[in-house]
Amino acid sequence: MAISQQESFSHTCAVCGQTFDADQWTLIDVQERPDLRDALLDGQLNTFSCPACAAPLQPSGPLLLHDAHARRVYFAVPYDEEEHRWRNQAQELLYSLVGALPEDARLPYLGDVQVEWGLDGVQRALTRKGRRGSAAARQATPPQGAAATPQVAPVVSVDLLERVQQLLAVDSADEFTALVREHSELLGSAADTLLGSLAAEARNVAEHEAAAAIQQVRSMLRGMRSTVEQEPTDEPHALPETVPIPDLPIMSDAISDAAYQAFLSVAAPADLVDALRDHPALLEPWAEGVLTARAELALDLGNERLAALIGEHCDFLAPIRAELTAEPVLRHAIHTLLEAKAEEEMAQVLAEYPVLLTELAQVAFAKLADQAQATGDATQATYVRQCRATLRQVRSGMDTI
Protein backbone atom coordinates (compact mmCIF):
# COMPACT_ATOMS: atom_id res chain seq x y z
CA MET A 1 0.00 0.00 0.00
CA ALA A 2 1.45 3.34 -1.06
CA ILE A 3 1.80 5.94 1.69
CA SER A 4 2.67 9.02 -0.36
CA GLN A 5 -0.31 10.53 -2.12
CA GLN A 6 -1.37 13.26 -4.54
CA GLU A 7 -4.56 15.28 -4.79
CA SER A 8 -6.04 17.33 -7.62
CA PHE A 9 -6.47 21.06 -6.98
CA SER A 10 -7.89 23.90 -9.04
CA HIS A 11 -5.36 26.64 -9.78
CA THR A 12 -5.50 30.09 -11.33
CA CYS A 13 -2.46 31.34 -13.20
CA ALA A 14 -1.22 34.62 -11.72
CA VAL A 15 0.07 35.68 -15.15
CA CYS A 16 -2.80 35.06 -17.56
CA GLY A 17 -5.69 34.24 -15.23
CA GLN A 18 -6.32 30.79 -16.74
CA THR A 19 -7.97 28.30 -14.34
CA PHE A 20 -6.98 24.62 -14.57
CA ASP A 21 -6.65 21.45 -12.48
CA ALA A 22 -3.33 19.91 -11.52
CA ASP A 23 -2.10 17.24 -9.11
CA GLN A 24 -0.03 18.16 -6.05
CA TRP A 25 1.73 15.97 -3.54
CA THR A 26 0.00 16.31 -0.16
CA LEU A 27 1.58 13.40 1.74
CA ILE A 28 5.18 12.25 1.39
CA ASP A 29 6.87 9.36 3.14
CA VAL A 30 10.59 10.00 2.78
CA GLN A 31 11.60 6.33 3.02
CA GLU A 32 9.11 5.42 0.28
CA ARG A 33 9.86 8.40 -1.99
CA PRO A 34 13.26 9.94 -1.21
CA ASP A 35 13.13 11.60 -4.64
CA LEU A 36 10.21 13.78 -3.49
CA ARG A 37 12.19 14.97 -0.47
CA ASP A 38 15.06 15.87 -2.78
CA ALA A 39 12.63 17.72 -5.06
CA LEU A 40 11.37 19.70 -2.06
CA LEU A 41 14.91 20.64 -1.02
CA ASP A 42 15.65 21.69 -4.60
CA GLY A 43 12.50 23.83 -4.77
CA GLN A 44 11.03 21.65 -7.52
CA LEU A 45 8.22 19.90 -5.64
CA ASN A 46 4.68 20.66 -6.83
CA THR A 47 5.89 22.89 -9.64
CA PHE A 48 4.28 22.94 -13.08
CA SER A 49 3.56 25.25 -15.98
CA CYS A 50 0.34 26.99 -16.90
CA PRO A 51 -1.18 25.13 -19.89
CA ALA A 52 -2.24 28.44 -21.44
CA CYS A 53 0.85 30.65 -21.18
CA ALA A 54 3.53 28.22 -19.89
CA ALA A 55 4.27 30.42 -16.87
CA PRO A 56 6.03 28.42 -14.11
CA LEU A 57 3.86 27.98 -11.00
CA GLN A 58 4.36 26.60 -7.50
CA PRO A 59 1.03 27.22 -5.76
CA SER A 60 0.67 27.04 -2.00
CA GLY A 61 -1.00 23.91 -0.69
CA PRO A 62 -1.01 21.54 2.30
CA LEU A 63 1.80 19.01 2.61
CA LEU A 64 2.56 16.46 5.34
CA LEU A 65 6.08 15.02 5.18
CA HIS A 66 7.07 11.97 7.23
CA ASP A 67 10.68 10.97 7.84
CA ALA A 68 10.74 7.76 9.89
CA HIS A 69 14.54 7.70 10.04
CA ALA A 70 14.66 11.16 11.65
CA ARG A 71 11.43 10.42 13.59
CA ARG A 72 9.88 13.69 12.42
CA VAL A 73 6.62 14.80 10.82
CA TYR A 74 6.35 18.22 9.15
CA PHE A 75 3.27 20.04 7.89
CA ALA A 76 3.45 22.90 5.40
CA VAL A 77 0.65 25.40 6.07
CA PRO A 78 -0.79 26.91 2.89
CA TYR A 79 -0.35 30.67 2.78
CA ASP A 80 -3.50 32.72 3.43
CA GLU A 81 -5.34 29.65 4.74
CA GLU A 82 -7.60 30.08 7.77
CA GLU A 83 -6.34 28.33 10.89
CA HIS A 84 -9.29 25.99 11.36
CA ARG A 85 -9.00 24.84 7.72
CA TRP A 86 -5.29 24.06 7.77
CA ARG A 87 -5.59 22.33 11.13
CA ASN A 88 -8.27 20.07 9.66
CA GLN A 89 -6.08 19.44 6.62
CA ALA A 90 -3.13 18.49 8.82
CA GLN A 91 -5.30 16.18 10.92
CA GLU A 92 -6.76 14.40 7.89
CA LEU A 93 -3.32 13.88 6.35
CA LEU A 94 -1.98 12.58 9.66
CA TYR A 95 -4.84 10.08 9.84
CA SER A 96 -3.99 8.95 6.31
CA LEU A 97 -0.33 8.55 7.24
CA VAL A 98 -0.97 6.57 10.43
CA GLY A 99 -3.57 4.40 8.72
CA ALA A 100 -1.13 3.51 5.92
CA LEU A 101 1.73 2.62 8.27
CA PRO A 102 2.11 -0.92 9.66
CA GLU A 103 1.14 -1.36 13.31
CA ASP A 104 4.73 -1.58 14.56
CA ALA A 105 5.59 1.75 12.87
CA ARG A 106 2.87 3.76 14.66
CA LEU A 107 5.20 5.29 17.21
CA PRO A 108 4.63 8.22 19.63
CA TYR A 109 6.63 10.75 17.64
CA LEU A 110 3.89 10.74 14.99
CA GLY A 111 1.75 12.81 17.33
CA ASP A 112 4.25 15.70 17.34
CA VAL A 113 3.76 17.47 14.02
CA GLN A 114 6.13 20.38 13.35
CA VAL A 115 4.17 23.16 11.64
CA GLU A 116 5.92 25.40 9.11
CA TRP A 117 4.61 28.09 6.75
CA GLY A 118 4.66 26.92 3.16
CA LEU A 119 6.92 24.47 1.37
CA ASP A 120 9.85 26.81 1.89
CA GLY A 121 9.31 26.61 5.66
CA VAL A 122 9.56 22.81 5.59
CA GLN A 123 12.56 23.12 3.29
CA ARG A 124 14.34 25.37 5.82
CA ALA A 125 13.40 23.04 8.69
CA LEU A 126 14.85 20.03 6.87
CA THR A 127 18.02 21.95 6.08
CA ARG A 128 18.42 23.03 9.72
CA LYS A 129 17.76 19.49 10.92
CA GLY A 130 20.37 18.12 8.53
CA ARG A 131 23.04 20.56 9.68
CA ARG A 132 22.24 19.94 13.35
CA GLY A 133 22.27 16.16 12.89
CA SER A 134 25.66 16.25 11.15
CA ALA A 135 27.21 18.37 13.91
CA ALA A 136 25.72 16.19 16.64
CA ALA A 137 26.94 13.02 14.94
CA ARG A 138 30.48 14.36 14.82
CA GLN A 139 30.41 15.17 18.54
CA ALA A 140 28.60 12.05 19.73
CA THR A 141 30.57 9.26 18.01
CA PRO A 142 30.54 6.31 20.45
CA PRO A 143 33.84 4.78 21.63
CA GLN A 144 35.14 1.95 19.48
CA GLY A 145 33.58 -1.32 20.50
CA ALA A 146 30.77 0.31 22.50
CA ALA A 147 27.45 -1.46 22.12
CA ALA A 148 24.32 0.54 21.45
CA THR A 149 21.35 0.04 23.75
CA PRO A 150 18.24 -0.62 21.71
CA GLN A 151 15.32 1.70 22.41
CA VAL A 152 11.93 0.03 22.23
CA ALA A 153 9.06 2.47 21.70
CA PRO A 154 5.50 1.45 22.57
CA VAL A 155 3.01 0.72 19.80
CA VAL A 156 0.25 3.31 19.71
CA SER A 157 -3.29 2.60 18.58
CA VAL A 158 -4.68 4.86 15.88
CA ASP A 159 -7.66 5.76 18.07
CA LEU A 160 -5.57 6.82 21.06
CA LEU A 161 -3.18 8.81 18.90
CA GLU A 162 -6.18 10.53 17.33
CA ARG A 163 -7.65 11.44 20.73
CA VAL A 164 -4.36 12.80 22.02
CA GLN A 165 -3.92 14.86 18.84
CA GLN A 166 -7.40 16.31 19.33
CA LEU A 167 -6.58 17.11 22.94
CA LEU A 168 -3.39 18.95 22.03
CA ALA A 169 -5.27 20.98 19.41
CA VAL A 170 -8.13 22.34 21.55
CA ASP A 171 -7.99 26.00 22.55
CA SER A 172 -10.46 26.31 25.42
CA ALA A 173 -10.92 24.74 28.83
CA ASP A 174 -14.49 23.74 28.00
CA GLU A 175 -13.40 21.86 24.87
CA PHE A 176 -10.61 20.17 26.84
CA THR A 177 -12.97 18.90 29.54
CA ALA A 178 -15.69 17.90 27.07
CA LEU A 179 -13.19 15.81 25.08
CA VAL A 180 -11.96 14.05 28.21
CA ARG A 181 -15.53 13.35 29.32
CA GLU A 182 -16.34 11.87 25.91
CA HIS A 183 -13.15 9.78 25.71
CA SER A 184 -12.28 8.53 29.19
CA GLU A 185 -9.31 6.58 27.79
CA LEU A 186 -7.44 9.89 27.89
CA LEU A 187 -7.29 9.43 31.68
CA GLY A 188 -5.68 6.00 31.31
CA SER A 189 -2.08 4.90 31.73
CA ALA A 190 -1.62 4.37 27.97
CA ALA A 191 -2.44 8.02 27.25
CA ASP A 192 -0.19 9.12 30.12
CA THR A 193 2.69 7.07 28.72
CA LEU A 194 2.06 8.37 25.20
CA LEU A 195 2.14 12.00 26.33
CA GLY A 196 5.32 11.34 28.28
CA SER A 197 6.91 9.85 25.15
CA LEU A 198 5.80 12.79 23.02
CA ALA A 199 7.28 15.26 25.51
CA ALA A 200 10.54 13.30 25.59
CA GLU A 201 10.68 13.23 21.78
CA ALA A 202 10.17 17.01 21.72
CA ARG A 203 12.94 17.60 24.26
CA ASN A 204 15.31 15.31 22.35
CA VAL A 205 15.05 17.54 19.28
CA ALA A 206 15.15 20.78 21.31
CA GLU A 207 11.47 21.63 20.71
CA HIS A 208 11.20 23.00 24.24
CA GLU A 209 7.94 24.89 23.81
CA ALA A 210 6.20 21.80 22.40
CA ALA A 211 7.59 19.66 25.23
CA ALA A 212 6.32 22.15 27.81
CA ALA A 213 2.86 22.27 26.24
CA ILE A 214 2.60 18.47 26.07
CA GLN A 215 3.83 18.08 29.63
CA GLN A 216 1.28 20.65 30.82
CA VAL A 217 -1.54 18.69 29.18
CA ARG A 218 -0.20 15.53 30.83
CA SER A 219 -0.19 17.25 34.23
CA MET A 220 -3.71 18.55 33.69
CA LEU A 221 -4.96 15.04 32.92
CA ARG A 222 -3.25 13.71 36.02
CA GLY A 223 -4.94 16.40 38.09
CA MET A 224 -8.34 15.50 36.63
CA ARG A 225 -7.66 11.79 37.17
CA SER A 226 -6.91 12.41 40.82
CA THR A 227 -10.58 13.30 41.31
CA VAL A 228 -11.62 9.74 40.45
CA GLU A 229 -8.66 7.56 41.42
CA GLN A 230 -5.12 7.63 42.74
CA GLU A 231 -3.31 5.43 40.22
CA PRO A 232 -3.66 5.49 36.40
CA THR A 233 -5.30 2.44 34.84
CA ASP A 234 -6.95 1.74 31.53
CA GLU A 235 -10.28 0.73 33.03
CA PRO A 236 -13.18 2.94 31.83
CA HIS A 237 -14.25 5.59 34.29
CA ALA A 238 -16.17 8.83 34.10
CA LEU A 239 -15.35 12.24 35.50
CA PRO A 240 -17.63 13.58 38.22
CA GLU A 241 -19.66 16.64 37.30
CA THR A 242 -17.74 18.73 39.84
CA VAL A 243 -14.31 18.19 38.31
CA PRO A 244 -12.46 21.53 38.09
CA ILE A 245 -11.97 22.87 34.56
CA PRO A 246 -8.25 23.42 33.82
CA ASP A 247 -6.77 26.54 32.35
CA LEU A 248 -5.58 25.81 28.83
CA PRO A 249 -3.28 28.16 26.92
CA ILE A 250 -2.99 28.43 23.16
CA MET A 251 -0.80 25.77 21.59
CA SER A 252 1.60 28.20 19.98
CA ASP A 253 4.05 27.70 17.17
CA ALA A 254 7.71 28.64 17.23
CA ILE A 255 9.06 32.18 17.06
CA SER A 256 8.97 33.61 13.54
CA ASP A 257 12.16 34.52 11.71
CA ALA A 258 11.18 38.20 11.88
CA ALA A 259 10.77 38.00 15.68
CA TYR A 260 14.11 36.23 15.97
CA GLN A 261 15.88 38.86 13.90
CA ALA A 262 14.27 41.67 15.91
CA PHE A 263 15.42 39.94 19.10
CA LEU A 264 18.99 39.70 17.83
CA SER A 265 19.07 43.29 16.55
CA VAL A 266 18.47 45.08 19.85
CA ALA A 267 21.42 47.09 21.12
CA ALA A 268 20.15 47.69 24.65
CA PRO A 269 17.36 46.49 26.97
CA ALA A 270 15.27 49.57 26.18
CA ASP A 271 15.23 48.60 22.48
CA LEU A 272 13.77 45.21 23.37
CA VAL A 273 10.47 46.76 24.48
CA ASP A 274 9.81 47.92 20.92
CA ALA A 275 10.62 44.45 19.60
CA LEU A 276 8.16 42.92 22.07
CA ARG A 277 5.39 45.25 20.86
CA ASP A 278 5.94 44.11 17.30
CA HIS A 279 6.54 40.44 18.19
CA PRO A 280 4.54 39.47 21.32
CA ALA A 281 5.53 35.82 20.86
CA LEU A 282 8.76 36.81 22.62
CA LEU A 283 6.69 37.44 25.77
CA GLU A 284 5.44 33.86 25.95
CA PRO A 285 6.84 31.64 28.72
CA TRP A 286 8.06 29.12 26.13
CA ALA A 287 10.04 31.74 24.18
CA GLU A 288 13.17 31.35 26.27
CA GLY A 289 13.22 27.63 25.54
CA VAL A 290 13.01 28.29 21.81
CA LEU A 291 15.80 30.85 21.97
CA THR A 292 17.94 28.53 24.07
CA ALA A 293 17.46 25.83 21.45
CA ARG A 294 18.70 28.25 18.79
CA ALA A 295 21.74 29.00 20.93
CA GLU A 296 22.43 25.26 21.21
CA LEU A 297 22.12 24.89 17.47
CA ALA A 298 24.58 27.76 17.00
CA LEU A 299 27.05 25.97 19.26
CA ASP A 300 26.56 22.72 17.32
CA LEU A 301 27.46 24.62 14.17
CA GLY A 302 30.50 26.21 15.82
CA ASN A 303 29.05 29.72 16.00
CA GLU A 304 29.94 30.63 19.58
CA ARG A 305 29.51 34.34 18.92
CA LEU A 306 25.85 33.91 17.95
CA ALA A 307 25.22 31.64 20.93
CA ALA A 308 26.70 34.24 23.27
CA LEU A 309 24.59 37.00 21.68
CA ILE A 310 21.40 34.99 22.19
CA GLY A 311 22.33 34.36 25.82
CA GLU A 312 23.04 38.03 26.44
CA HIS A 313 19.72 39.11 24.94
CA CYS A 314 17.87 36.42 26.93
CA ASP A 315 19.28 38.10 30.03
CA PHE A 316 17.73 41.36 28.77
CA LEU A 317 14.43 39.64 28.08
CA ALA A 318 13.72 37.93 31.41
CA PRO A 319 13.14 40.99 33.66
CA ILE A 320 11.31 42.94 30.95
CA ARG A 321 8.96 40.01 30.29
CA ALA A 322 8.28 39.66 34.02
CA GLU A 323 7.41 43.36 34.23
CA LEU A 324 5.19 43.49 31.14
CA THR A 325 3.26 40.31 31.93
CA ALA A 326 2.71 40.88 35.67
CA GLU A 327 -0.84 40.10 36.80
CA PRO A 328 -1.74 43.71 37.79
CA VAL A 329 -0.55 44.91 34.38
CA LEU A 330 -2.64 42.28 32.62
CA ARG A 331 -5.77 43.12 34.64
CA HIS A 332 -5.40 46.83 33.91
CA ALA A 333 -4.71 46.15 30.22
CA ILE A 334 -7.86 44.03 29.86
CA HIS A 335 -10.00 46.64 31.61
CA THR A 336 -8.59 49.41 29.42
CA LEU A 337 -9.16 47.43 26.22
CA LEU A 338 -12.76 46.59 27.12
CA GLU A 339 -13.43 50.27 27.82
CA ALA A 340 -11.98 51.38 24.48
CA LYS A 341 -14.58 52.38 21.88
CA ALA A 342 -12.89 53.27 18.59
CA GLU A 343 -10.45 51.10 16.63
CA GLU A 344 -7.73 53.73 16.97
CA GLU A 345 -8.12 53.68 20.75
CA MET A 346 -7.95 49.88 20.82
CA ALA A 347 -4.82 49.91 18.65
CA GLN A 348 -3.22 52.34 21.08
CA VAL A 349 -4.03 50.05 24.00
CA LEU A 350 -2.47 47.08 22.19
CA ALA A 351 0.69 49.08 21.50
CA GLU A 352 0.91 50.07 25.17
CA TYR A 353 0.14 46.61 26.55
CA PRO A 354 1.65 43.84 24.37
CA VAL A 355 0.68 41.34 27.08
CA LEU A 356 -2.83 41.44 25.56
CA LEU A 357 -1.47 39.45 22.61
CA THR A 358 -0.16 36.56 24.71
CA GLU A 359 -1.47 33.23 25.93
CA LEU A 360 -1.93 34.75 29.39
CA ALA A 361 -4.46 37.20 28.01
CA GLN A 362 -6.29 34.47 26.09
CA VAL A 363 -6.77 32.48 29.30
CA ALA A 364 -7.81 35.61 31.24
CA PHE A 365 -10.38 36.63 28.60
CA ALA A 366 -11.82 33.08 28.59
CA LYS A 367 -12.26 33.22 32.37
CA LEU A 368 -13.82 36.68 32.19
CA ALA A 369 -16.31 35.53 29.55
CA ASP A 370 -17.26 32.49 31.63
CA GLN A 371 -17.79 34.70 34.69
CA ALA A 372 -20.01 37.08 32.74
CA GLN A 373 -22.02 34.15 31.37
CA ALA A 374 -22.41 32.67 34.85
CA THR A 375 -23.81 35.95 36.22
CA GLY A 376 -26.36 36.20 33.41
CA ASP A 377 -24.61 38.98 31.46
CA ALA A 378 -24.72 37.30 28.04
CA THR A 379 -24.01 40.57 26.21
CA GLN A 380 -20.77 41.15 28.10
CA ALA A 381 -19.77 37.50 27.70
CA THR A 382 -20.26 37.74 23.93
CA TYR A 383 -18.25 40.96 23.69
CA VAL A 384 -15.38 39.52 25.74
CA ARG A 385 -15.26 36.45 23.51
CA GLN A 386 -15.26 38.67 20.42
CA CYS A 387 -12.33 40.64 21.83
CA ARG A 388 -10.51 37.39 22.58
CA ALA A 389 -11.02 36.14 19.02
CA THR A 390 -9.87 39.48 17.59
CA LEU A 391 -6.71 39.42 19.70
CA ARG A 392 -5.97 35.94 18.51
CA GLN A 393 -6.36 36.97 14.88
CA VAL A 394 -4.06 39.94 15.43
CA ARG A 395 -1.49 37.73 17.07
CA SER A 396 -1.71 35.16 14.27
CA GLY A 397 -1.10 37.89 11.69
CA MET A 398 1.89 39.23 13.61
CA ASP A 399 3.43 35.77 13.96
CA THR A 400 3.39 35.23 10.20
CA ILE A 401 5.05 38.51 9.23
Side-chain angles (χ1 to χ4, degrees):
M1 177 181 177
I3 300 174
S4 304
Q5 65 183 38
Q6 287 180 298
E7 293 183 37
S8 180
F9 291 87
S10 179
H11 306 287
T12 301
C13 178
V15 177
C16 70
Q18 175 72 28
T19 299
F20 59 95
D21 293 336
D23 290 338
Q24 291 181 225
W25 290 100
T26 56
L27 175 58
I28 294 175
D29 182 83
V30 171
Q31 277 60 49
E32 179 186 69
R33 295 293 305 269
D35 59 311
L36 296 179
R37 178 186 183 275
D38 293 342
L40 172 62
L41 290 175
D42 293 338
Q44 299 302 312
L45 186 73
N46 290 343
T47 59
F48 40 82
S49 300
C50 171
C53 69
L57 301 174
Q58 187 181 40
S60 178
L63 172 70
L64 191 79
L65 184 142
H66 171 232
D67 187 342
H69 179 72
R71 300 169 69 84
R72 298 304 295 267
V73 181
Y74 301 91
F75 179 69
V77 177
Y79 292 113
D80 300 324
E81 187 73 274
E82 294 182 359
E83 182 177 355
H84 73 278
R85 287 180 57 84
W86 67 255
R87 284 191 181 278
N88 287 339
Q89 291 169 340
Q91 196 71 62
E92 290 172 2
L93 289 170
L94 184 62
Y95 293 162
S96 296
L97 169 65
V98 174
L101 291 173
E103 286 283 346
D104 59 356
R106 297 169 183 172
L107 302 178
Y109 75 88
L110 295 171
D112 181 22
V113 178
Q114 181 171 331
V115 176
E116 301 288 345
W117 287 102
L119 295 180
D120 53 343
V122 175
Q123 182 187 47
R124 289 193 297 270
L126 290 172
T127 303
R128 290 196 302 268
K129 179 68 177 175
R131 285 200 294 259
R132 183 179 178 86
S134 298
R138 289 193 299 270
Q139 296 182 14
T141 303
Q144 188 172 3
T149 302
Q151 300 295 319
V152 181
V155 176
V156 182
S157 72
V158 177
D159 287 343
L160 182 58
L161 181 60
E162 176 182 340
R163 301 298 173 239
V164 168
Q165 278 292 102
Q166 290 175 339
L167 196 64
L168 294 174
V170 302
D171 59 6
S172 76
D174 289 341
E175 291 179 30
F176 187 98
T177 305
L179 187 61
V180 175
R181 287 191 189 282
E182 184 179 356
H183 302 286
S184 60
E185 67 267 27
L186 289 168
L187 293 176
S189 59
D192 185 78
T193 301
L194 173 57
L195 285 164
S197 299
L198 293 177
E201 289 282 351
R203 285 192 294 271
N204 287 342
V205 295
E207 296 287 350
H208 300 293
E209 77 281 10
I214 295 168
Q215 191 59 47
Q216 182 178 23
V217 168
R218 189 185 188 197
S219 298
M220 290 159 60
L221 288 174
R222 287 181 171 181
M224 297 172 76
R225 185 169 58 234
S226 67
T227 65
V228 293
E229 58 181 17
Q230 293 299 316
E231 296 296 331
T233 71
D234 287 318
E235 295 298 322
H237 47 257
L239 287 173
E241 291 299 323
T242 57
V243 66
I245 297 176
D247 295 332
L248 186 67
I250 305 168
M251 298 302 173
S252 301
D253 296 327
I255 294 172
S256 67
D257 288 340
Y260 178 58
Q261 292 302 322
F263 171 79
L264 291 181
S265 299
V266 299
D271 300 332
L272 189 55
V273 176
D274 291 332
L276 294 173
R277 290 194 178 100
D278 293 334
H279 305 285
L282 294 168
L283 284 173
E284 301 291 3
W286 47 259
E288 186 172 354
V290 177
L291 294 168
T292 299
R294 296 218 180 196
E296 293 172 354
L297 176 58
L299 286 175
D300 287 346
L301 300 176
N303 195 338
E304 296 183 5
R305 181 177 179 183
L306 176 59
L309 180 64
I310 295 173
E312 178 184 350
H313 287 190
C314 280
D315 291 338
F316 292 169
L317 178 61
I320 295 175
R321 181 172 58 219
E323 178 182 348
L324 295 181
T325 62
E327 185 177 350
V329 175
L330 177 58
R331 285 201 307 267
H332 180 70
I334 291 175
H335 175 77
T336 305
L337 183 67
L338 293 177
E339 291 294 317
K341 303 301 180 184
E343 289 186 4
E344 294 81 5
E345 188 178 356
M346 296 181 72
Q348 185 176 355
V349 174
L350 293 182
E352 186 175 357
Y353 299 103
V355 67
L356 288 168
L357 296 168
T358 66
E359 297 174 2
L360 286 173
Q362 288 285 305
V363 172
F365 271 95
K367 285 184 177 179
L368 190 59
D370 291 343
Q371 291 170 0
Q373 193 73 46
T375 58
D377 193 345
T379 301
Q380 177 69 359
T382 298
Y383 181 66
V384 172
R385 291 191 180 103
Q386 289 174 344
C387 286
R388 182 174 185 260
T390 299
L391 292 174
R392 190 165 186 171
Q393 288 179 338
V394 173
R395 167 66 183 274
S396 177
M398 298 176 77
D399 283 347
T400 58
I401 294 176

